[in-house]
Amino acid sequence: GQQVMQIPQYQHVQEGEDFTTYCNSSTTLSNIQWYKQRPGGHPVFLIQLVKSGEVKKQKRLTFQFGEAKKNSSLHITATQTTDVGTYFCAGSSNDYKLSFGAGTTVTVRA
Amino acid sequence: KAGVTQTPRYLIKTRGQQVTLSCSPISGHRSVSWYQQTPGQGLQFLFEYFSETQRNKGNFPGRFSGRQFSNSRSEMNVSTLELGDSALYLCASSRGRTGGNYEQYFGPGTRLTVT
């Protein structure tokens, strides 16, 4: 079945630095979604990518969908303490099944 | 607009018992999906209900079941509880089918502890 792998599992970042989390699927995806879960909270939708090669930005966050629609990335610039949390990617194929990656847990050193 | 609500928020049960969790989706949302979240396994998909029908099911034993009512509210039942069922159970609602280009809105979750 479809599997979505996410790396790294943990990311320790100095405040002000950039980092990237990657998401890879074993199959071609129809879309990919990104969610953020703050400590003690629930996942909150960030963005959805649908088109091959699509790039979307939300302030300091840049999301990309690969040309083959099998991978995606989230790049955060100038990390702030508000970026702490776990970032999940979730991919869907044409079978309406949404598979979540294991998540990247981000901690920030002030 | 009110968000997704889940009841109860916390639950402690004994091995062998059964439990029912409830989820009320955002008004107008027809799809409700359930997930199990544990530190070691991340977010694991349990099942999706859309228009009162189970549309997709994850890789969980038959002890896990659910249903959806005509008002889109959903319940999840776990019978013969095991220690490994201790987890945060999240439900998420969306306007359309999960995975069908619709964002999901998650509830706060029910923290189940099995002793």
Side-chain angles (χ1 to χ4, degrees):
Chain A
Q2 175 188 303
Q3 282 192 322
V4 173
M5 310 299 290
Q6 195 172 350
I7 55 170
Q9 187 176 0
Y10 298 99
Q11 184 80 55
H12 308 288
V13 189
Q14 180 73 40
E15 192 174 15
E17 290 184 340
D18 303 352
F19 75 89
T20 304
T21 173
Y22 300 90
C23 191
N24 294 291
S25 169
S26 56
T27 60
T28 302
L29 301 170
S30 56
N31 65 70
I32 194 155
Q33 299 177 348
W34 285 88
Y35 292 80
K36 177 183 178 181
Q37 184 174 21
R38 294 181 185 274
H42 56 273
V44 174
F45 176 82
L46 293 176
I47 209 156
Q48 176 172 267
L49 304 170
V50 178
K51 300 175 185 175
S52 169
E54 190 170 13
V55 179
K56 288 189 177 180
K57 292 189 176 183
Q58 287 181 350
K59 297 182 181 178
R60 296 176 295 101
L61 277 61
T62 301
F63 303 85
Q64 286 191 308
F65 202 7
E67 294 290 340
K69 301 184 75 174
K70 284 189 169 185
N71 56 73
S72 180
S73 65
L74 160 59
H75 181 78
I76 299 182
T77 58
T79 304
Q80 301 176 357
T81 55
T82 53
D83 296 324
V84 164
T86 301
Y87 294 84
F88 294 97
C89 62
S92 173
S93 296
N94 294 326
D95 58 359
Y96 291 101
K97 290 184 179 179
L98 193 64
S99 294
F100 278 78
T104 294
T105 298
V106 177
T107 55
V108 179
R109 298 189 301 274
Chain B
K1 193 189 290 194
V4 178
T5 57
Q6 290 186 248
T7 56
R9 293 293 310 280
Y10 302 92
L11 206 49
I12 300 176
K13 288 287 189 178
T14 305
R15 218 167 21 165
Q17 289 185 314
Q18 68 95 25
V19 66
T20 299
L21 311 181
S22 180
C23 173
S24 292
I26 290 172
S27 177
H29 285 194
R30 296 168 62 193
S31 170
V32 173
S33 292
W34 289 88
Y35 297 87
Q36 181 193 67
Q37 186 172 36
T38 58
Q41 298 296 320
L43 271 166
Q44 299 293 314
F45 171 75
L46 280 154
F47 26 65
E48 179 204 6
Y49 284 87
F50 182 85
S51 294
E52 301 178 65
T53 303
Q54 186 181 92
R55 301 299 179 129
N56 264 318
K57 191 176 190 307
N59 197 21
F60 279 82
R63 300 185 295 108
F64 292 81
S65 63
R67 57 178 177 168
Q68 186 180 34
F69 302 95
S70 58
N71 62 358
S72 292
R73 189 177 70 85
S74 178
E75 286 183 347
M76 189 192 95
N77 185 275
V78 188
S79 62
T80 319
L81 284 165
E82 300 177 359
L83 294 179
D85 296 333
S86 294
L88 179 66
Y89 290 88
L90 293 159
C91 84
S93 75
S94 58
R95 286 189 292 116
R97 289 289 310 279
T98 297
N101 289 357
Y102 294 98
E103 62 191 84
Q104 292 192 94
Y105 294 82
F106 283 83
T110 294
R111 173 76 61 186
L112 172 64
T113 302
V114 182
T115 62

